[in-house]
Amino acid sequence: MNNLPEPHSRQQGDAHIKSILEWLAIAHGRNDSEDADQLHRQIILLREAAIPTAQRIKLLDLLYGQAERIVNAELPALHEISLPVSRKLRQRVRTVLDLLATLTQDYFNSLAVLFDPLGNKLDHSPQTTLRRVMHCIAWQIRISQLVASPCGIGLWQQMHSAFRSARRLGLANAPGPRGTRSIHQIYTNTLLSAIAQPASFCSSEQDFICQYIEHRTETLELFDEPPLDSNAIFWIDLDKDTPAHALIRRIPSADTQILYFCCDDISSSAHEHLNQLEHGTSAASMGLPDFAETRAGKGVLRRLQTLWGQPGKRKFPRRRQSYRVHLCSGLDNLWRLIKSPEAEAELSEWMVTNESPDGYALMHMTGQTHQLRVGDITALQAIGDRTEVVPLWHVCIVRWALSENPEHIELGLQLLASRAQAAEIAQPFELESVKVAALILPETPPLRHTQSLIVRTGAIKDTRRKIIVLLEKENLEIRELRPTSLEEQTSSIEVFSVSSDESA
C-alpha cells in the first residue's frame, strides 16, 4: 500500500511532461505575445511534476525560450502608451510578469542543492541557470518601468541574491554564450537603468536608455569601499529590496554588506556622444540607435550625463498637503486655455499630496488623463479652500509618473513658473513656415533668472537666429527674441532661455 503513491506520482508527472512537450511543439515558431497565459500554465504543470532536477532544468530551459519570445514581442507594444495603463493592457502585462516570476522562482529552486549541507552537487553548471534568472528579473523590472508601475515586492532582493550567488561561485564575470553579456554586466546594466530614474522618461526614451546602456563595452566595476577619486558614487545594499542609491543623497548603514560603483566614465561617454552628435556625427557611426540623432535623443543624453555623473541632493524639503487642483495637460490645450480663459477646456481634478518651492506631487481624482506624458507641459490651479484671489495657472513639467492600477496614477511636477503668456512665433528666415504655438514664462528667481520660451520639440530649428514673437493683449504686440540656451528638452517640449534682441 505504501508504494502506491510513487507509481501514481510518476504517472502524473509523465502526463504533465507529455502535455508540456505537446504545447512546446505547437508554440514552436510563433512570434507574437498571445501565449503568455498558456505558457504560465505549462510552468505550473512542470512545478507539479515529480521529476529529477536535471530533467526539470531541461524543460525549464525550453519554456524559458518561449518566455523570451513573448517578452521580445510584448516590449514594443508598451512604447508610447497613455497613463494610466488600460485595464486590458494591465491584465496582459500582469500575466507576463506572473509567468516570469514563476519561472524565476523555479530556476531558484533548482539551485537549492548549491546550499545543501550534505555537500551534494549539481550535475550541471549553474551559470546558465543564474544568467536566465537574471534575465527574467531584469525583464520584470523593465516591464514595470515601461508601464510606470512599482517593481514587484522582493524583485530587487532576488536580483541581488542571484548576483551574490554568481560571485560566490566565481561565475559573475564569465562571458555568456556567443559573446553575450556576463552575469556581472546584466546586473550592472539593470542598476544603471534604475538610477537613471526611468519614471522621469517616456517609454520610447526608456527604450533608448536601455539600448544605450547595452551599447557600452567597458565593464562597470563594483568595489567593497567607495572609490576616492570619483564624484558620482552609488552604493547597493545586497540585503535590501532596493536598487542603488547615490552616496551624496544617502549614507549606507555601517553594519551592512555594501557594494559601490561610480558612473564617471559612462557620464563622460554620454557627454562625448552628445558633443559628436551636435557636430554632425551620425549615430550609426558611433554604434548608437537612430533615436540618438533626434532632438529628444540628445535631450536624453544631456539628462543622463547629469543623472549618472552629477547626482544632487534635493534642493528643498517637501511639505505634506491635501488640497485639490485642476490640471490642464499638453502644450496645445494649455495654450488655448491661457489665450482664451473663457473657452471650455478639458481639465482633470487632482489632490496635491506634497509640495516644495520647486514642484508638486499629485494623485489623480477625476477626469481624463489620456493626454498625460512624462516630459510634457502641464499647469495646475488650486480650487476649493485654496483658490487664489487672482487664480493663476502654475506651469510645470511632468517629471515622473507612477501607476499601480488602471484607476490610480500619481505625478511629480517640476514648477517652471506661476503664470504664462500664450504667444505665436515666426522665424523670419523661413518665410514659408507657419506660426507655432508657444508659451512665454516670466523670470522666476531664484529658479529662473531670464524669460523662457516653451515650444514643441523641433519647432525652433536654428537657435542662432532671432525669432518673432506675437502676443495678443489689448493690441497685437510684436517682439524680437533670441534663444540664449536650451534649458529643458524632452520628446514633447523644449524650454529655451530667451533675451530681447538688442538690434530690434
Side-chain angles (χ1 to χ4, degrees):
M1 293 291 291
N2 292 335
N3 294 329
L4 286 177
E6 186 175 345
H8 174 72
S9 178
R10 190 185 309 117
Q11 189 176 26
Q12 186 183 50
D14 290 343
H16 288 345
I17 292 169
K18 181 181 177 182
S19 176
I20 292 168
L21 292 174
E22 287 175 350
W23 183 85
L24 285 167
I26 294 171
H28 181 71
R30 292 180 181 170
N31 57 6
D32 55 38
S33 62
E34 300 302 317
D35 294 329
D37 190 50
Q38 293 182 37
L39 175 57
H40 192 205
R41 286 199 291 269
Q42 306 312 311
I43 299 171
I44 296 297
L45 277 181
L46 180 58
R47 176 178 286 186
E48 296 172 352
I51 58 175
T53 300
Q55 187 179 3
R56 184 180 302 280
I57 290 177
K58 287 180 181 177
L59 288 169
L60 276 175
D61 289 344
L62 292 173
L63 295 172
Y64 170 88
Q66 294 301 315
E68 184 175 27
R69 183 257 299 177
I70 288 171
V71 169
N72 288 335
E74 188 67 44
L75 286 175
L78 301 180
H79 296 164
E80 299 307 329
I81 56 176
S82 61
L83 296 174
V85 175
S86 68
R87 185 174 296 278
K88 182 178 179 181
L89 181 57
R90 177 81 64 176
Q91 182 57 45
R92 201 169 79 218
V93 165
R94 184 73 263 164
T95 302
V96 175
L97 292 176
D98 285 346
L99 81 85
L100 289 173
T102 306
L103 192 58
T104 300
Q105 191 57 58
D106 284 9
Y107 267 130
F108 264 126
N109 293 343
S110 73
L111 294 170
V113 71
L114 293 172
F115 307 97
D116 188 347
L118 299 178
N120 293 322
K121 303 230 174 179
L122 282 171
D123 54 4
H124 69 285
S125 169
Q127 180 184 358
T128 300
T129 297
L130 285 167
R131 281 177 52 79
R132 291 183 172 176
V133 164
M134 298 291 284
H135 277 306
C136 285
I137 298 171
W139 286 333
Q140 292 176 71
I141 292 171
R142 186 175 177 192
I143 290 172
S144 296
Q145 292 169 348
L146 286 172
V147 297
S149 177
C151 290
I153 296 173
L155 206 53
W156 279 105
Q157 214 158 13
Q158 284 184 326
M159 174 155 273
H160 299 327
S161 175
F163 177 68
R164 181 186 283 175
S165 295
R167 289 185 93 199
R168 183 174 65 83
L169 297 169
L171 302 172
N173 293 305
R178 298 179 296 279
T180 53
R181 299 288 182 185
S182 67
I183 291 172
H184 180 103
Q185 288 170 314
I186 297 169
Y187 181 64
T188 54
N189 284 1
T190 308
L191 290 172
L192 281 173
S193 175
I195 64 173
Q197 299 179 9
S200 67
F201 293 93
C202 69
S203 51
S204 60
E205 292 171 334
Q206 288 185 44
D207 187 55
F208 169 63
I209 291 171
C210 287
Q211 293 179 57
Y212 184 77
I213 292 171
E214 289 292 328
H215 162 77
R216 292 173 54 252
T217 55
E218 67 274 15
T219 300
L220 188 69
E221 298 294 336
L222 297 174
F223 307 96
D224 294 324
E225 298 292 336
L228 298 177
D229 56 347
S230 173
N231 295 319
I233 302 173
F234 296 81
W235 57 272
I236 319 140
D237 186 338
L238 295 178
D239 293 320
K240 296 292 179 62
D241 187 28
T242 57
H245 303 280
L247 187 61
I248 195 172
R249 293 196 197 117
R250 186 180 302 181
I251 304 297
S253 302
D255 56 346
T256 54
Q257 183 179 354
I258 302 297
L259 291 178
Y260 298 88
F261 63 93
C262 60
C263 293
D264 298 81
D265 289 344
I266 189 170
S267 175
S268 298
S269 294
H271 176 70
E272 180 60 29
H273 287 144
L274 180 61
N275 274 345
Q276 292 186 47
L277 288 166
E278 292 188 331
H279 284 86
T281 305
S282 70
S285 67
M286 294 184 285
L288 299 179
D290 292 341
F291 185 85
E293 291 184 23
T294 66
R295 296 172 79 97
K298 294 173 185 176
V300 172
L301 288 174
R302 189 173 287 107
R303 289 172 63 192
L304 288 178
Q305 177 188 340
T306 301
L307 289 167
W308 284 332
Q310 300 168 16
K313 294 181 179 179
R314 180 175 292 278
K315 293 180 181 178
F316 303 102
R318 292 175 290 184
R319 301 185 302 276
R320 291 187 180 276
Q321 297 290 356
S322 181
Y323 65 91
R324 299 201 178 201
V325 295
H326 278 146
L327 190 75
C328 180
S329 306
L331 178 59
D332 292 338
N333 287 336
L334 186 55
W335 183 83
R336 286 191 293 269
L337 177 66
I338 293 175
K339 181 177 172 61
S340 306
E342 69 285 351
E344 200 170 303
E346 185 175 317
L347 305 177
S348 51
E349 189 172 314
W350 298 70
M351 176 82 73
V352 175
T353 56
N354 69 63
E355 66 178 335
S356 68
D358 66 345
Y360 308 86
L362 310 180
M363 182 172 64
H364 180 242
M365 304 302 290
T366 61
Q368 292 293 328
T369 61
H370 60 274
Q371 295 197 25
L372 276 174
R373 294 288 185 278
V374 172
D376 206 352
I377 207 75
T378 64
L380 58 83
Q381 186 180 88
I383 59 177
D385 295 340
R386 296 293 292 265
T387 302
E388 297 165 311
V389 177
V390 180
L392 296 174
W393 285 101
H394 300 260
V395 181
C396 306
I397 186 170
V398 181
R399 277 306 183 201
W400 55 261
L402 288 176
S403 174
E404 295 186 18
N405 59 62
E407 287 78 33
H408 180 82
I409 183 170
E410 296 180 29
L411 295 181
L413 304 182
Q414 178 187 342
L415 179 65
L416 298 181
S418 295
R419 64 185 186 278
Q421 291 178 284
E424 292 179 295
I425 62 172
Q427 299 182 67
F429 296 94
E430 298 181 20
L431 300 179
E432 296 182 1
S433 64
V434 297
K435 291 192 285 290
V436 175
L439 295 177
I440 301 288
L441 306 182
E443 304 93 333
T444 54
L447 299 178
R448 295 179 185 275
H449 295 279
T450 62
Q451 284 190 328
S452 300
L453 180 74
I454 303 177
V455 292
R456 281 281 170 212
T457 295
I460 298 179
K461 297 179 176 58
D462 189 349
T463 58
R464 295 169 299 178
R465 293 174 171 174
K466 64 185 177 183
I467 56 177
I468 306 299
V469 178
L470 310 177
L471 289 154
E472 288 188 25
K473 295 184 176 180
E474 291 79 6
N475 298 309
L476 180 64
E477 180 180 330
I478 302 176
R479 298 182 191 172
E480 288 187 354
L481 299 177
R482 188 180 298 277
T484 55
S485 65
L486 180 62
E487 299 295 329
E488 302 282 354
Q489 186 177 47
T490 73
S491 59
S492 300
I493 56 100
E494 292 175 325
V495 182
F496 293 91
S497 292
V498 292
S499 62
S500 298
D501 192 335
E502 299 299 333
S503 64

